[in-house]
Amino acid sequence: MLGLRCFPQSNYLKRFYRRITINCLSNSIQPLPTSNLTLCFSSNLSSFSISISNIHQYRKLYATVTHTSNSNVTTSSTESPLTGLEDDLVGYVLGKKKATEVAHLVWKHVVQKGDTVIDATCGNGYDTLAMLKMVADESGTARVYGMDIQRDALENTSSLLDENVTPKEKQLVKLFSICHSRIEEIIPENSPVRLVAFNLGYLPGGDKALTTVPETTMMAIESAKRVLVPGGLISLVVYVGHPGGREELETVESFASGLSVDEWICCKFQMLNRPLAPVLVFLFKK
């Protein structure tokens, strides 16, 4: 494990992060000798860790190789799914950005206008609204599928959309009062889904006894895996401060750990000395 302590001058962390996420992607850098090496950034606020093997997977996936017709010269360009988000990720690590803010910024690097996306846990509708703003265009081909088992959540989501988008835009959103484990029941067959997002926990402002649970969450992310297109993202913000929250995080981690490194890039952002802070998990499909 390679460790770097971040003192109050956060520029040290930013520069080091950029060096790792950009320079290590270069084909001129040889792979490190072990796939078990982990980078760990720590400060008085939080910790971020990512497997070195995943960094080399970034290089493998995002290197585009072209050959010239009159020489043996090979050129390559690389781009990580997190390229351009360095400052935002550091902001989260240093406690300056909320988990949901960072999640939305990551989504913007993945989704495109006209895409099909899924908010598997609508809550009060803020993720649904953010998704709609990202995918809606004049073509009218975009779709946002929203799900929540609680009627109050869907009503809150619908009201938020009424306040913030046009009726034409709202028509692109389809809301379902259904468990997040039943994703495949609401998506038309062969629909190319670019993003599936989860906020795991309870409805803010609602009954805290009603929460997502590990068993149905495992079924939900398995379904998300099946409907996601290459280049897509499963995004999870896991709230751990309620009973069962830790077990649900362990379920997500177990699922992600079992995904093939040849087909997926998986990372987690977690505060170490704030045990109740939400945990960000991103699963990028190659």
Side-chain angles (χ1 to χ4, degrees):
M1 176 170 286
L2 176 64
L4 173 70
R5 176 159 298 282
C6 176
F7 294 99
Q9 296 86 347
S10 62
N11 286 336
Y12 290 113
L13 180 55
K14 291 179 183 179
R15 289 198 297 269
F16 192 81
Y17 181 86
R18 288 195 183 100
R19 183 169 298 178
I20 290 299
T21 57
I22 297 174
N23 291 357
C24 279
L25 296 173
S26 169
N27 280 335
S28 64
I29 295 179
Q30 297 300 315
L32 295 175
T34 174
S35 62
N36 295 321
L37 187 61
T38 297
L39 289 175
C40 180
F41 304 99
S42 63
S43 72
N44 62 331
L45 291 173
S46 59
S47 174
F48 159 66
S49 64
I50 187 168
S51 169
I52 286 291
S53 63
N54 274 349
I55 291 177
H56 288 296
Q57 289 300 321
Y58 293 165
R59 181 192 62 190
K60 178 180 177 182
L61 173 61
Y62 291 95
T64 301
V65 180
T66 58
H67 299 274
T68 60
S69 58
N70 58 356
S71 72
N72 294 322
V73 175
T74 300
T75 61
S76 65
S77 62
T78 58
E79 184 177 356
S80 157
L82 301 180
T83 296
L85 289 169
E86 294 88 354
D87 289 347
D88 298 312
L89 294 172
V90 170
Y92 175 70
V93 169
L94 298 177
K96 297 179 179 179
K97 285 188 179 293
K98 296 180 180 179
T100 50
E101 289 182 84
V102 175
H104 290 182
L105 291 167
V106 173
W107 300 352
K108 289 180 179 179
H109 278 242
V110 175
V111 302
Q112 304 169 17
K113 295 295 184 182
D115 273 346
T116 295
V117 295
I118 302 172
D119 184 355
T121 50
C122 283
N124 288 316
Y126 294 103
D127 287 348
T128 309
L129 176 61
M131 289 181 181
L132 180 58
K133 292 292 188 181
M134 293 177 200
V135 301
D137 63 7
E138 292 301 320
S139 72
T141 59
R143 289 294 182 271
V144 180
Y145 293 93
M147 310 169 63
D148 206 291
I149 201 169
Q150 297 186 63
R151 294 297 308 180
D152 287 348
L154 296 180
E155 290 173 4
N156 293 345
T157 298
S158 182
S159 296
L160 184 69
L161 294 174
D162 287 336
E163 296 169 3
N164 290 277
V165 303
T166 67
K168 183 178 179 180
E169 288 175 321
K170 189 179 180 182
Q171 289 180 357
L172 304 178
V173 180
K174 309 299 179 184
L175 299 178
F176 296 86
S177 179
I178 192 172
C179 177
H180 63 326
S181 64
R182 299 167 64 184
I183 287 173
E184 290 168 285
E185 296 181 25
I186 67 169
I187 303 299
E189 189 174 358
N190 299 321
S191 292
V193 177
R194 183 81 62 179
L195 168 68
V196 184
F198 299 86
N199 266 355
L200 300 177
Y202 55 81
L203 174 65
D207 185 352
K208 294 184 179 181
L210 297 176
T211 69
T212 52
V213 295
E215 294 78 13
T216 52
T217 292
M218 175 60 86
M219 295 169 62
I221 53 181
E222 286 280 8
S223 292
K225 173 188 173 183
R226 288 190 290 267
V227 302
L228 201 70
V229 296
L233 168 68
I234 301 174
S235 169
L236 304 104
V237 179
V238 187
Y239 292 85
V240 296
H242 61 279
R246 290 285 172 192
E247 291 78 8
E248 196 162 29
L249 176 60
E250 291 171 2
T251 295
V252 171
E253 291 175 337
S254 175
F255 173 85
S257 298
L259 294 175
S260 167
V261 296
D262 293 325
E263 298 177 0
W264 293 84
I265 298 170
C266 305
C267 57
K268 177 182 72 170
F269 297 82
Q270 181 176 23
M271 302 295 187
L272 290 184
N273 65 342
R274 291 175 54 198
L276 301 184
V279 179
L280 277 165
V281 180
F282 297 119
L283 313 178
F284 297 93
K285 185 175 183 180
K286 298 180 180 180

PDB file of all heavy atoms in Angstrom, residues 118 120 145 147 176 178-191 193 196 198 216-228:
ATOM      1  N   ILE A 118     -31.854   5.576 -15.635  1.00  0.00           N
ATOM      2  CA  ILE A 118     -32.763   5.068 -14.614  1.00  0.00           C
ATOM      3  C   ILE A 118     -32.397   5.641 -13.256  1.00  0.00           C
ATOM      4  O   ILE A 118     -31.249   5.537 -12.820  1.00  0.00           O
ATOM      5  CB  ILE A 118     -32.710   3.527 -14.535  1.00  0.00           C
ATOM      6  CG1 ILE A 118     -33.061   2.888 -15.878  1.00  0.00           C
ATOM      7  CG2 ILE A 118     -33.649   3.020 -13.442  1.00  0.00           C
ATOM      8  CD1 ILE A 118     -32.824   1.384 -15.908  1.00  0.00           C
ATOM      9  N   ALA A 120     -33.223   4.576  -9.861  1.00  0.00           N
ATOM     10  CA  ALA A 120     -33.815   3.391  -9.245  1.00  0.00           C
ATOM     11  C   ALA A 120     -34.403   3.661  -7.863  1.00  0.00           C
ATOM     12  O   ALA A 120     -35.117   2.808  -7.323  1.00  0.00           O
ATOM     13  CB  ALA A 120     -32.776   2.273  -9.161  1.00  0.00           C
ATOM     14  N   TYR A 145     -36.367   6.807 -16.454  1.00  0.00           N
ATOM     15  CA  TYR A 145     -37.267   5.919 -15.725  1.00  0.00           C
ATOM     16  C   TYR A 145     -36.990   6.083 -14.232  1.00  0.00           C
ATOM     17  O   TYR A 145     -35.857   5.888 -13.780  1.00  0.00           O
ATOM     18  CB  TYR A 145     -37.051   4.469 -16.157  1.00  0.00           C
ATOM     19  CG  TYR A 145     -37.470   4.205 -17.584  1.00  0.00           C
ATOM     20  CD1 TYR A 145     -36.550   4.296 -18.627  1.00  0.00           C
ATOM     21  CD2 TYR A 145     -38.788   3.900 -17.887  1.00  0.00           C
ATOM     22  CE1 TYR A 145     -36.937   4.071 -19.939  1.00  0.00           C
ATOM     23  CE2 TYR A 145     -39.188   3.670 -19.203  1.00  0.00           C
ATOM     24  CZ  TYR A 145     -38.260   3.753 -20.220  1.00  0.00           C
ATOM     25  OH  TYR A 145     -38.643   3.547 -21.525  1.00  0.00           O
ATOM     26  N   MET A 147     -38.076   5.119 -10.226  1.00  0.00           N
ATOM     27  CA  MET A 147     -38.701   4.062  -9.439  1.00  0.00           C
ATOM     28  C   MET A 147     -38.639   4.415  -7.960  1.00  0.00           C
ATOM     29  O   MET A 147     -37.647   4.952  -7.481  1.00  0.00           O
ATOM     30  CB  MET A 147     -37.971   2.728  -9.651  1.00  0.00           C
ATOM     31  CG  MET A 147     -37.735   2.348 -11.086  1.00  0.00           C
ATOM     32  SD  MET A 147     -36.590   0.942 -11.247  1.00  0.00           S
ATOM     33  CE  MET A 147     -37.502  -0.351 -10.419  1.00  0.00           C
ATOM     34  N   PHE A 176     -42.589   4.957 -11.704  1.00  0.00           N
ATOM     35  CA  PHE A 176     -43.197   3.675 -11.358  1.00  0.00           C
ATOM     36  C   PHE A 176     -43.134   3.447  -9.851  1.00  0.00           C
ATOM     37  O   PHE A 176     -42.066   3.591  -9.239  1.00  0.00           O
ATOM     38  CB  PHE A 176     -42.460   2.527 -12.063  1.00  0.00           C
ATOM     39  CG  PHE A 176     -42.549   2.568 -13.559  1.00  0.00           C
ATOM     40  CD1 PHE A 176     -41.639   3.319 -14.295  1.00  0.00           C
ATOM     41  CD2 PHE A 176     -43.551   1.887 -14.234  1.00  0.00           C
ATOM     42  CE1 PHE A 176     -41.705   3.370 -15.678  1.00  0.00           C
ATOM     43  CE2 PHE A 176     -43.628   1.938 -15.619  1.00  0.00           C
ATOM     44  CZ  PHE A 176     -42.717   2.680 -16.342  1.00  0.00           C
ATOM     45  N   ILE A 178     -42.681   0.951  -7.688  1.00  0.00           N
ATOM     46  CA  ILE A 178     -42.207  -0.427  -7.772  1.00  0.00           C
ATOM     47  C   ILE A 178     -40.850  -0.533  -7.090  1.00  0.00           C
ATOM     48  O   ILE A 178     -40.099   0.446  -7.013  1.00  0.00           O
ATOM     49  CB  ILE A 178     -42.120  -0.845  -9.260  1.00  0.00           C
ATOM     50  CG1 ILE A 178     -41.930  -2.354  -9.407  1.00  0.00           C
ATOM     51  CG2 ILE A 178     -41.026  -0.082  -9.971  1.00  0.00           C
ATOM     52  CD1 ILE A 178     -42.040  -2.813 -10.851  1.00  0.00           C
ATOM     53  N   CYS A 179     -40.525  -1.703  -6.584  1.00  0.00           N
ATOM     54  CA  CYS A 179     -39.233  -1.934  -5.915  1.00  0.00           C
ATOM     55  C   CYS A 179     -38.085  -1.804  -6.914  1.00  0.00           C
ATOM     56  O   CYS A 179     -38.208  -2.180  -8.084  1.00  0.00           O
ATOM     57  CB  CYS A 179     -39.231  -3.320  -5.281  1.00  0.00           C
ATOM     58  SG  CYS A 179     -37.662  -3.773  -4.506  1.00  0.00           S
ATOM     59  N   HIS A 180     -36.970  -1.284  -6.446  1.00  0.00           N
ATOM     60  CA  HIS A 180     -35.816  -1.093  -7.329  1.00  0.00           C
ATOM     61  C   HIS A 180     -35.241  -2.406  -7.850  1.00  0.00           C
ATOM     62  O   HIS A 180     -34.463  -2.415  -8.804  1.00  0.00           O
ATOM     63  CB  HIS A 180     -34.728  -0.266  -6.635  1.00  0.00           C
ATOM     64  CG  HIS A 180     -34.124  -0.880  -5.410  1.00  0.00           C
ATOM     65  ND1 HIS A 180     -34.825  -1.661  -4.528  1.00  0.00           N
ATOM     66  CD2 HIS A 180     -32.865  -0.803  -4.886  1.00  0.00           C
ATOM     67  CE1 HIS A 180     -34.042  -2.043  -3.536  1.00  0.00           C
ATOM     68  NE2 HIS A 180     -32.842  -1.533  -3.736  1.00  0.00           N
ATOM     69  N   SER A 181     -35.625  -3.516  -7.260  1.00  0.00           N
ATOM     70  CA  SER A 181     -35.139  -4.816  -7.726  1.00  0.00           C
ATOM     71  C   SER A 181     -35.801  -5.247  -9.033  1.00  0.00           C
ATOM     72  O   SER A 181     -35.371  -6.222  -9.654  1.00  0.00           O
ATOM     73  CB  SER A 181     -35.406  -5.883  -6.660  1.00  0.00           C
ATOM     74  OG  SER A 181     -36.801  -6.052  -6.450  1.00  0.00           O
ATOM     75  N   ARG A 182     -36.831  -4.518  -9.477  1.00  0.00           N
ATOM     76  CA  ARG A 182     -37.615  -4.925 -10.651  1.00  0.00           C
ATOM     77  C   ARG A 182     -37.353  -4.025 -11.857  1.00  0.00           C
ATOM     78  O   ARG A 182     -38.237  -3.766 -12.668  1.00  0.00           O
ATOM     79  CB  ARG A 182     -39.098  -4.955 -10.281  1.00  0.00           C
ATOM     80  CG  ARG A 182     -39.390  -5.949  -9.166  1.00  0.00           C
ATOM     81  CD  ARG A 182     -40.777  -5.769  -8.561  1.00  0.00           C
ATOM     82  NE  ARG A 182     -41.845  -6.037  -9.520  1.00  0.00           N
ATOM     83  CZ  ARG A 182     -43.142  -5.863  -9.245  1.00  0.00           C
ATOM     84  NH1 ARG A 182     -43.514  -5.408  -8.056  1.00  0.00           N
ATOM     85  NH2 ARG A 182     -44.052  -6.128 -10.168  1.00  0.00           N
ATOM     86  N   ILE A 183     -36.118  -3.589 -11.980  1.00  0.00           N
ATOM     87  CA  ILE A 183     -35.722  -2.688 -13.069  1.00  0.00           C
ATOM     88  C   ILE A 183     -36.119  -3.232 -14.436  1.00  0.00           C
ATOM     89  O   ILE A 183     -36.668  -2.515 -15.282  1.00  0.00           O
ATOM     90  CB  ILE A 183     -34.198  -2.428 -13.019  1.00  0.00           C
ATOM     91  CG1 ILE A 183     -33.861  -1.499 -11.857  1.00  0.00           C
ATOM     92  CG2 ILE A 183     -33.690  -1.848 -14.341  1.00  0.00           C
ATOM     93  CD1 ILE A 183     -32.373  -1.315 -11.637  1.00  0.00           C
ATOM     94  N   GLU A 184     -35.861  -4.497 -14.646  1.00  0.00           N
ATOM     95  CA  GLU A 184     -36.068  -5.059 -15.984  1.00  0.00           C
ATOM     96  C   GLU A 184     -37.541  -5.150 -16.374  1.00  0.00           C
ATOM     97  O   GLU A 184     -37.859  -5.332 -17.551  1.00  0.00           O
ATOM     98  CB  GLU A 184     -35.401  -6.429 -16.067  1.00  0.00           C
ATOM     99  CG  GLU A 184     -33.886  -6.328 -16.064  1.00  0.00           C
ATOM    100  CD  GLU A 184     -33.197  -7.663 -15.859  1.00  0.00           C
ATOM    101  OE1 GLU A 184     -33.199  -8.165 -14.712  1.00  0.00           O
ATOM    102  OE2 GLU A 184     -32.667  -8.200 -16.847  1.00  0.00           O
ATOM    103  N   GLU A 185     -38.439  -4.996 -15.414  1.00  0.00           N
ATOM    104  CA  GLU A 185     -39.863  -5.042 -15.711  1.00  0.00           C
ATOM    105  C   GLU A 185     -40.384  -3.730 -16.309  1.00  0.00           C
ATOM    106  O   GLU A 185     -41.443  -3.722 -16.945  1.00  0.00           O
ATOM    107  CB  GLU A 185     -40.658  -5.366 -14.444  1.00  0.00           C
ATOM    108  CG  GLU A 185     -40.368  -6.740 -13.862  1.00  0.00           C
ATOM    109  CD  GLU A 185     -41.203  -7.026 -12.624  1.00  0.00           C
ATOM    110  OE1 GLU A 185     -42.293  -6.429 -12.490  1.00  0.00           O
ATOM    111  OE2 GLU A 185     -40.753  -7.822 -11.785  1.00  0.00           O
ATOM    112  N   ILE A 186     -39.654  -2.640 -16.110  1.00  0.00           N
ATOM    113  CA  ILE A 186     -40.150  -1.342 -16.578  1.00  0.00           C
ATOM    114  C   ILE A 186     -39.419  -0.834 -17.812  1.00  0.00           C
ATOM    115  O   ILE A 186     -39.861   0.129 -18.441  1.00  0.00           O
ATOM    116  CB  ILE A 186     -40.056  -0.274 -15.463  1.00  0.00           C
ATOM    117  CG1 ILE A 186     -38.584   0.029 -15.123  1.00  0.00           C
ATOM    118  CG2 ILE A 186     -40.812  -0.718 -14.219  1.00  0.00           C
ATOM    119  CD1 ILE A 186     -38.405   1.245 -14.235  1.00  0.00           C
ATOM    120  N   ILE A 187     -38.308  -1.468 -18.178  1.00  0.00           N
ATOM    121  CA  ILE A 187     -37.508  -1.013 -19.308  1.00  0.00           C
ATOM    122  C   ILE A 187     -37.910  -1.795 -20.552  1.00  0.00           C
ATOM    123  O   ILE A 187     -37.931  -3.025 -20.537  1.00  0.00           O
ATOM    124  CB  ILE A 187     -36.001  -1.226 -19.033  1.00  0.00           C
ATOM    125  CG1 ILE A 187     -35.585  -0.512 -17.761  1.00  0.00           C
ATOM    126  CG2 ILE A 187     -35.171  -0.736 -20.216  1.00  0.00           C
ATOM    127  CD1 ILE A 187     -35.788   0.979 -17.800  1.00  0.00           C
ATOM    128  N   PRO A 188     -38.247  -1.109 -21.632  1.00  0.00           N
ATOM    129  CA  PRO A 188     -38.544  -1.827 -22.882  1.00  0.00           C
ATOM    130  C   PRO A 188     -37.376  -2.716 -23.295  1.00  0.00           C
ATOM    131  O   PRO A 188     -36.206  -2.389 -23.069  1.00  0.00           O
ATOM    132  CB  PRO A 188     -38.759  -0.699 -23.898  1.00  0.00           C
ATOM    133  CG  PRO A 188     -39.175   0.477 -23.067  1.00  0.00           C
ATOM    134  CD  PRO A 188     -38.424   0.347 -21.776  1.00  0.00           C
ATOM    135  N   GLU A 189     -37.689  -3.850 -23.872  1.00  0.00           N
ATOM    136  CA  GLU A 189     -36.656  -4.809 -24.252  1.00  0.00           C
ATOM    137  C   GLU A 189     -35.645  -4.177 -25.196  1.00  0.00           C
ATOM    138  O   GLU A 189     -35.996  -3.436 -26.116  1.00  0.00           O
ATOM    139  CB  GLU A 189     -37.301  -6.017 -24.922  1.00  0.00           C
ATOM    140  CG  GLU A 189     -36.345  -7.171 -25.165  1.00  0.00           C
ATOM    141  CD  GLU A 189     -37.053  -8.393 -25.703  1.00  0.00           C
ATOM    142  OE1 GLU A 189     -38.296  -8.348 -25.853  1.00  0.00           O
ATOM    143  OE2 GLU A 189     -36.370  -9.401 -25.986  1.00  0.00           O
ATOM    144  N   ASN A 190     -34.374  -4.478 -24.939  1.00  0.00           N
ATOM    145  CA  ASN A 190     -33.250  -3.994 -25.754  1.00  0.00           C
ATOM    146  C   ASN A 190     -33.048  -2.484 -25.679  1.00  0.00           C
ATOM    147  O   ASN A 190     -32.388  -1.902 -26.548  1.00  0.00           O
ATOM    148  CB  ASN A 190     -33.415  -4.413 -27.214  1.00  0.00           C
ATOM    149  CG  ASN A 190     -33.439  -5.920 -27.387  1.00  0.00           C
ATOM    150  OD1 ASN A 190     -32.698  -6.638 -26.711  1.00  0.00           O
ATOM    151  ND2 ASN A 190     -34.300  -6.411 -28.268  1.00  0.00           N
ATOM    152  N   SER A 191     -33.579  -1.843 -24.654  1.00  0.00           N
ATOM    153  CA  SER A 191     -33.308  -0.413 -24.471  1.00  0.00           C
ATOM    154  C   SER A 191     -31.866  -0.214 -24.008  1.00  0.00           C
ATOM    155  O   SER A 191     -31.424  -0.870 -23.059  1.00  0.00           O
ATOM    156  CB  SER A 191     -34.260   0.182 -23.432  1.00  0.00           C
ATOM    157  OG  SER A 191     -35.571   0.213 -23.906  1.00  0.00           O
ATOM    158  N   VAL A 193     -29.451   1.345 -21.908  1.00  0.00           N
ATOM    159  CA  VAL A 193     -29.419   2.158 -20.686  1.00  0.00           C
ATOM    160  C   VAL A 193     -27.988   2.618 -20.417  1.00  0.00           C
ATOM    161  O   VAL A 193     -27.062   1.804 -20.321  1.00  0.00           O
ATOM    162  CB  VAL A 193     -29.958   1.362 -19.479  1.00  0.00           C
ATOM    163  CG1 VAL A 193     -29.855   2.192 -18.204  1.00  0.00           C
ATOM    164  CG2 VAL A 193     -31.395   0.932 -19.731  1.00  0.00           C
ATOM    165  N   VAL A 196     -27.576   3.891 -14.411  1.00  0.00           N
ATOM    166  CA  VAL A 196     -28.513   3.456 -13.376  1.00  0.00           C
ATOM    167  C   VAL A 196     -27.985   3.993 -12.049  1.00  0.00           C
ATOM    168  O   VAL A 196     -26.837   3.717 -11.680  1.00  0.00           O
ATOM    169  CB  VAL A 196     -28.652   1.931 -13.300  1.00  0.00           C
ATOM    170  CG1 VAL A 196     -29.723   1.552 -12.273  1.00  0.00           C
ATOM    171  CG2 VAL A 196     -28.984   1.342 -14.661  1.00  0.00           C
ATOM    172  N   PHE A 198     -28.522   4.824  -7.817  1.00  0.00           N
ATOM    173  CA  PHE A 198     -29.168   4.428  -6.568  1.00  0.00           C
ATOM    174  C   PHE A 198     -28.759   5.387  -5.450  1.00  0.00           C
ATOM    175  O   PHE A 198     -27.573   5.716  -5.319  1.00  0.00           O
ATOM    176  CB  PHE A 198     -28.728   3.017  -6.148  1.00  0.00           C
ATOM    177  CG  PHE A 198     -29.067   1.926  -7.116  1.00  0.00           C
ATOM    178  CD1 PHE A 198     -28.218   1.637  -8.181  1.00  0.00           C
ATOM    179  CD2 PHE A 198     -30.209   1.163  -6.958  1.00  0.00           C
ATOM    180  CE1 PHE A 198     -28.507   0.612  -9.070  1.00  0.00           C
ATOM    181  CE2 PHE A 198     -30.512   0.126  -7.834  1.00  0.00           C
ATOM    182  CZ  PHE A 198     -29.663  -0.145  -8.890  1.00  0.00           C
ATOM    183  N   THR A 216     -32.859  -6.976  -1.721  1.00  0.00           N
ATOM    184  CA  THR A 216     -33.419  -6.415  -2.951  1.00  0.00           C
ATOM    185  C   THR A 216     -32.414  -5.515  -3.670  1.00  0.00           C
ATOM    186  O   THR A 216     -32.457  -5.390  -4.902  1.00  0.00           O
ATOM    187  CB  THR A 216     -34.708  -5.623  -2.660  1.00  0.00           C
ATOM    188  OG1 THR A 216     -34.463  -4.663  -1.628  1.00  0.00           O
ATOM    189  CG2 THR A 216     -35.829  -6.564  -2.240  1.00  0.00           C
ATOM    190  N   THR A 217     -31.499  -4.903  -2.923  1.00  0.00           N
ATOM    191  CA  THR A 217     -30.459  -4.093  -3.565  1.00  0.00           C
ATOM    192  C   THR A 217     -29.535  -4.964  -4.401  1.00  0.00           C
ATOM    193  O   THR A 217     -29.141  -4.582  -5.514  1.00  0.00           O
ATOM    194  CB  THR A 217     -29.668  -3.297  -2.516  1.00  0.00           C
ATOM    195  OG1 THR A 217     -30.526  -2.298  -1.946  1.00  0.00           O
ATOM    196  CG2 THR A 217     -28.457  -2.615  -3.133  1.00  0.00           C
ATOM    197  N   MET A 218     -29.196  -6.155  -3.912  1.00  0.00           N
ATOM    198  CA  MET A 218     -28.385  -7.069  -4.707  1.00  0.00           C
ATOM    199  C   MET A 218     -29.103  -7.444  -6.000  1.00  0.00           C
ATOM    200  O   MET A 218     -28.513  -7.452  -7.085  1.00  0.00           O
ATOM    201  CB  MET A 218     -28.059  -8.323  -3.909  1.00  0.00           C
ATOM    202  CG  MET A 218     -27.308  -9.390  -4.714  1.00  0.00           C
ATOM    203  SD  MET A 218     -25.719  -8.813  -5.372  1.00  0.00           S
ATOM    204  CE  MET A 218     -24.657  -9.156  -3.956  1.00  0.00           C
ATOM    205  N   MET A 219     -30.394  -7.724  -5.899  1.00  0.00           N
ATOM    206  CA  MET A 219     -31.169  -8.033  -7.100  1.00  0.00           C
ATOM    207  C   MET A 219     -31.192  -6.840  -8.054  1.00  0.00           C
ATOM    208  O   MET A 219     -31.113  -6.997  -9.281  1.00  0.00           O
ATOM    209  CB  MET A 219     -32.590  -8.422  -6.701  1.00  0.00           C
ATOM    210  CG  MET A 219     -32.691  -9.698  -5.886  1.00  0.00           C
ATOM    211  SD  MET A 219     -34.341  -9.945  -5.166  1.00  0.00           S
ATOM    212  CE  MET A 219     -35.343 -10.058  -6.651  1.00  0.00           C
ATOM    213  N   ALA A 220     -31.277  -5.621  -7.491  1.00  0.00           N
ATOM    214  CA  ALA A 220     -31.357  -4.411  -8.304  1.00  0.00           C
ATOM    215  C   ALA A 220     -30.069  -4.166  -9.085  1.00  0.00           C
ATOM    216  O   ALA A 220     -30.104  -3.848 -10.284  1.00  0.00           O
ATOM    217  CB  ALA A 220     -31.675  -3.211  -7.417  1.00  0.00           C
ATOM    218  N   ILE A 221     -28.930  -4.288  -8.429  1.00  0.00           N
ATOM    219  CA  ILE A 221     -27.673  -4.015  -9.140  1.00  0.00           C
ATOM    220  C   ILE A 221     -27.332  -5.144 -10.116  1.00  0.00           C
ATOM    221  O   ILE A 221     -26.670  -4.914 -11.128  1.00  0.00           O
ATOM    222  CB  ILE A 221     -26.510  -3.713  -8.171  1.00  0.00           C
ATOM    223  CG1 ILE A 221     -26.336  -4.797  -7.109  1.00  0.00           C
ATOM    224  CG2 ILE A 221     -26.713  -2.362  -7.517  1.00  0.00           C
ATOM    225  CD1 ILE A 221     -25.201  -4.514  -6.124  1.00  0.00           C
ATOM    226  N   GLU A 222     -27.803  -6.348  -9.840  1.00  0.00           N
ATOM    227  CA  GLU A 222     -27.660  -7.428 -10.819  1.00  0.00           C
ATOM    228  C   GLU A 222     -28.471  -7.087 -12.071  1.00  0.00           C
ATOM    229  O   GLU A 222     -28.010  -7.283 -13.201  1.00  0.00           O
ATOM    230  CB  GLU A 222     -28.133  -8.756 -10.229  1.00  0.00           C
ATOM    231  CG  GLU A 222     -27.183  -9.381  -9.217  1.00  0.00           C
ATOM    232  CD  GLU A 222     -26.022 -10.113  -9.872  1.00  0.00           C
ATOM    233  OE1 GLU A 222     -25.878 -10.005 -11.111  1.00  0.00           O
ATOM    234  OE2 GLU A 222     -25.264 -10.776  -9.142  1.00  0.00           O
ATOM    235  N   SER A 223     -29.678  -6.573 -11.879  1.00  0.00           N
ATOM    236  CA  SER A 223     -30.506  -6.158 -13.018  1.00  0.00           C
ATOM    237  C   SER A 223     -29.860  -4.996 -13.763  1.00  0.00           C
ATOM    238  O   SER A 223     -29.850  -4.957 -15.003  1.00  0.00           O
ATOM    239  CB  SER A 223     -31.900  -5.759 -12.535  1.00  0.00           C
ATOM    240  OG  SER A 223     -32.609  -6.869 -12.045  1.00  0.00           O
ATOM    241  N   ALA A 224     -29.331  -4.034 -13.007  1.00  0.00           N
ATOM    242  CA  ALA A 224     -28.657  -2.889 -13.633  1.00  0.00           C
ATOM    243  C   ALA A 224     -27.488  -3.350 -14.491  1.00  0.00           C
ATOM    244  O   ALA A 224     -27.265  -2.839 -15.595  1.00  0.00           O
ATOM    245  CB  ALA A 224     -28.190  -1.920 -12.553  1.00  0.00           C
ATOM    246  N   LYS A 225     -26.760  -4.317 -14.005  1.00  0.00           N
ATOM    247  CA  LYS A 225     -25.627  -4.869 -14.760  1.00  0.00           C
ATOM    248  C   LYS A 225     -26.087  -5.434 -16.097  1.00  0.00           C
ATOM    249  O   LYS A 225     -25.423  -5.260 -17.127  1.00  0.00           O
ATOM    250  CB  LYS A 225     -24.947  -5.953 -13.926  1.00  0.00           C
ATOM    251  CG  LYS A 225     -23.852  -6.731 -14.640  1.00  0.00           C
ATOM    252  CD  LYS A 225     -23.379  -7.899 -13.781  1.00  0.00           C
ATOM    253  CE  LYS A 225     -22.414  -8.797 -14.544  1.00  0.00           C
ATOM    254  NZ  LYS A 225     -22.015  -9.979 -13.739  1.00  0.00           N
ATOM    255  N   ARG A 226     -27.239  -6.095 -16.109  1.00  0.00           N
ATOM    256  CA  ARG A 226     -27.723  -6.736 -17.333  1.00  0.00           C
ATOM    257  C   ARG A 226     -28.221  -5.739 -18.368  1.00  0.00           C
ATOM    258  O   ARG A 226     -28.097  -5.974 -19.574  1.00  0.00           O
ATOM    259  CB  ARG A 226     -28.830  -7.745 -16.996  1.00  0.00           C
ATOM    260  CG  ARG A 226     -28.327  -8.994 -16.300  1.00  0.00           C
ATOM    261  CD  ARG A 226     -29.408 -10.061 -16.212  1.00  0.00           C
ATOM    262  NE  ARG A 226     -30.471  -9.709 -15.281  1.00  0.00           N
ATOM    263  CZ  ARG A 226     -30.493 -10.059 -14.005  1.00  0.00           C
ATOM    264  NH1 ARG A 226     -29.492 -10.756 -13.489  1.00  0.00           N
ATOM    265  NH2 ARG A 226     -31.512  -9.710 -13.226  1.00  0.00           N
ATOM    266  N   VAL A 227     -28.793  -4.617 -17.933  1.00  0.00           N
ATOM    267  CA  VAL A 227     -29.381  -3.676 -18.906  1.00  0.00           C
ATOM    268  C   VAL A 227     -28.402  -2.597 -19.348  1.00  0.00           C
ATOM    269  O   VAL A 227     -28.664  -1.889 -20.332  1.00  0.00           O
ATOM    270  CB  VAL A 227     -30.648  -3.005 -18.326  1.00  0.00           C
ATOM    271  CG1 VAL A 227     -31.671  -4.048 -17.932  1.00  0.00           C
ATOM    272  CG2 VAL A 227     -30.324  -2.091 -17.154  1.00  0.00           C
ATOM    273  N   LEU A 228     -27.279  -2.451 -18.668  1.00  0.00           N
ATOM    274  CA  LEU A 228     -26.342  -1.359 -18.951  1.00  0.00           C
ATOM    275  C   LEU A 228     -25.567  -1.617 -20.237  1.00  0.00           C
ATOM    276  O   LEU A 228     -25.107  -2.734 -20.492  1.00  0.00           O
ATOM    277  CB  LEU A 228     -25.365  -1.206 -17.786  1.00  0.00           C
ATOM    278  CG  LEU A 228     -24.657   0.142 -17.648  1.00  0.00           C
ATOM    279  CD1 LEU A 228     -25.643   1.221 -17.218  1.00  0.00           C
ATOM    280  CD2 LEU A 228     -23.518   0.043 -16.630  1.00  0.00           C
TER     281      LEU A 228
END
